[in-house]
Amino acid sequence: MKLITLTNKGIYCPQGKFYIDPWRPVDMAVITHGHADHARWGMKKYLCHHFTKPILHQRIGTDIQCQSVEYGEIIMVNGVQLSLHPAGHIIGSAQIRLEYKGYITVISGDYKVQHDGLSTPFELVKCNEFVTESTFALPIYNWLEVEDLNKKLQNWVLKNRENNKTSVFIGYSLGKAQRIMKAVEGLGKIYVHQSIGKLNEAFETVGIDLPDYTVADFKERPKEMEHEIVIVPPALLDSNTIKKIPDHATAICSGWMQVRGARRWRSADAGFAMSDHADWKGLLETVKATEAEIVHVTHGQTEIFSKYLNEIGVNADVVETLFGEDEEESEKEIIENPES
Ligand SMILES: [Zn+2]
Ligand SMILES: [Zn+2]
């Protein structure tokens, strides 16, 4: 690795003297996106995209020192040219491009090649060295086109309406919930759990246009949600909160739903393989298209993916990071351990 090295605090750029998504407190942290495993507490200075800033304020604190930039805006840090490029993962998510003496390294963070209609579409950045995630790096993960997937969600809502049922979607609060809102926009009133409402508000402060929604009052007014659409985070599956909603059907939206075994999530009526990460093809095509001479594989199916890349002639190795506690990444636990 030329421009980056792995330390016990995270991925470090020695020339620029900054870290990317560090897991321990450091002086300067460049943040790829707002998920908790990438954006942690305790950094002296944060640098992120404009859309990620309100998320950091919401999740880490309003008193942090945070500089935000536009995609493609170049800033010089100790002689290293640094810029952020759309990663297509969630709103504000960025790949970090570093250039020093003509050598280019890109750290992808989490990324998705499909355009979800909300996040700025993924931008391919050519580089010498590429750090890729590998959450869904197995050939079985093969996503539907976003339009076809959205159609499935819409049809499910319409079917529930015919059967006088309330549609309850389960999807994580930062990223997935907003995508579900967009997919079912116009089909009924949308109610969201307060944790989702807070993040929606943060997005609205930077001018992101979300479909109309109401923050649900499960205690006092569950009845008004009847026959409408409700979105809650995975932690609430099987909870008393959901049980208060009159005659409802539940659907889980997660990349993990593509696997048959995941259907053990016993109480759900439907499952949709909706993911904010690249599928097998997306990962493979991206890695090849960057034309990187060396690829470092982080969180997910690291061993399998780097081995496969080596077999097809791409020079790849595994870099052990502490990422992978992303909301979608950790959903696997909940889905596969229905008793926990
Ligand atoms: Zn992640
Ligand atoms: Zn993430």
Side-chain angles (χ1 to χ4, degrees):
M1 292 195 266
K2 278 193 182 171
L3 295 188
I4 48 170
T5 168
L6 190 72
T7 75
N8 60 359
K9 291 175 180 167
I11 296 172
Y12 180 58
C13 173
Q15 294 88 345
K17 299 187 176 61
F18 55 80
Y19 289 80
I20 290 117
D21 294 350
W23 42 83
R24 286 205 196 140
V26 300
D27 286 346
M28 184 179 174
V30 182
I31 302 296
T32 59
H33 66 289
H35 281 146
D37 55 328
H38 296 263
R40 297 180 195 243
W41 175 89
M43 314 300 160
K44 268 197 191 134
K45 265 168 79 181
Y46 292 84
L47 177 77
C48 64
H49 185 266
H50 291 318
F51 296 163
T52 300
K53 189 173 179 173
I55 303 301
L56 300 192
H57 281 159
Q58 165 69 232
R59 298 193 139 183
I60 300 171
T62 45
D63 55 346
I64 58 170
Q65 201 192 327
C66 182
Q67 181 191 353
S68 65
V69 293
E70 187 49 79
Y71 289 126
E73 184 179 337
I74 291 169
I75 59 164
M76 297 300 292
V77 187
N78 299 317
V80 175
Q81 186 180 315
L82 186 154
S83 52
L84 273 57
H85 301 266
H89 172 55
I90 59 167
I91 295 170
S93 65
Q95 307 172 74
I96 312 299
R97 181 188 186 276
L98 310 177
E99 183 172 347
Y100 185 73
K101 294 184 177 168
Y103 193 86
I104 301 163
T105 296
V106 171
I107 298 103
S108 71
D110 291 338
Y111 65 99
K112 167 166 95 273
V113 192
Q114 285 185 317
H115 180 29
D116 62 21
L118 266 179
S119 320
T120 309
F122 177 85
E123 179 191 323
L124 184 87
V125 186
K126 297 208 171 170
C127 55
N128 300 96
E129 185 178 42
F130 185 57
V131 181
T132 183
E133 61 135 317
S134 59
T135 310
F136 290 104
L138 288 176
I140 48 165
Y141 295 111
N142 175 13
W143 314 140
L144 285 177
E145 295 292 332
V146 172
E147 268 179 33
D148 296 337
L149 177 66
N150 286 354
K151 197 101 218 132
K152 281 191 157 195
L153 267 68
Q154 292 155 9
N155 289 338
W156 186 72
V157 169
L158 294 172
K159 196 188 87 196
N160 289 335
R161 175 80 42 84
E162 268 172 35
N163 297 329
N164 291 320
K165 281 189 183 258
T166 306
S167 301
V168 178
F169 286 100
I170 290 141
Y172 62 76
S173 54
L174 177 53
K176 204 67 65 67
Q178 292 77 24
R179 274 183 74 181
I180 298 168
M181 289 171 64
K182 196 84 187 162
V184 300
E185 186 174 12
L187 294 183
K189 235 183 139 181
I190 299 175
Y191 289 87
V192 301
H193 183 258
Q194 54 175 359
S195 60
I196 297 167
K198 274 188 192 159
L199 291 162
N200 287 352
E201 268 174 42
F203 284 131
E204 284 158 348
T205 62
V206 284
I208 303 278
D209 199 17
L210 294 172
D212 289 337
Y213 65 91
T214 306
V215 173
D217 185 342
F218 295 96
K219 267 198 190 120
E220 305 294 334
R221 301 197 307 279
K223 186 79 182 148
E224 68 179 34
M225 292 175 232
E226 197 166 10
H227 305 160
E228 305 291 355
I229 299 156
V230 186
I231 309 171
V232 299
L236 288 186
L237 184 77
D238 281 343
S239 68
N240 285 328
T241 305
I242 288 192
K243 290 189 186 116
K244 292 203 175 85
I245 305 168
D247 202 15
H248 66 273
T250 49
I252 298 161
C253 297
S254 169
W256 305 109
M257 294 313 285
Q258 178 123 11
V259 186
R260 227 159 32 125
R263 305 217 177 249
R264 278 191 293 151
W265 205 346
R266 58 195 164 145
S267 51
D269 301 296
F272 299 105
M274 175 190 267
S275 178
D276 283 335
H277 294 263
D279 62 5
W280 170 252
K281 201 166 141 247
L283 290 166
L284 210 52
E285 283 177 1
T286 301
V287 165
K288 286 187 201 160
T290 62
E291 296 173 8
E293 297 125 36
I294 171 102
V295 175
H296 307 293
V297 183
T298 65
H299 62 316
Q301 307 290 341
T302 50
E303 297 292 340
I304 294 169
F305 195 44
S306 64
K307 191 161 172 264
Y308 183 83
L309 288 173
N310 283 324
E311 275 167 17
I312 61 164
V314 178
N315 186 0
D317 62 14
V318 173
V319 171
E320 296 292 344
T321 60
L322 290 193
F323 310 136
E325 291 294 312
D326 178 320
E327 297 177 42
E328 181 168 8
E329 290 151 3
S330 56
E331 269 172 9
K332 193 167 192 272
E333 293 281 299
I334 308 175
I335 296 172
E336 296 193 340
N337 299 300
E339 305 308 325
S340 70

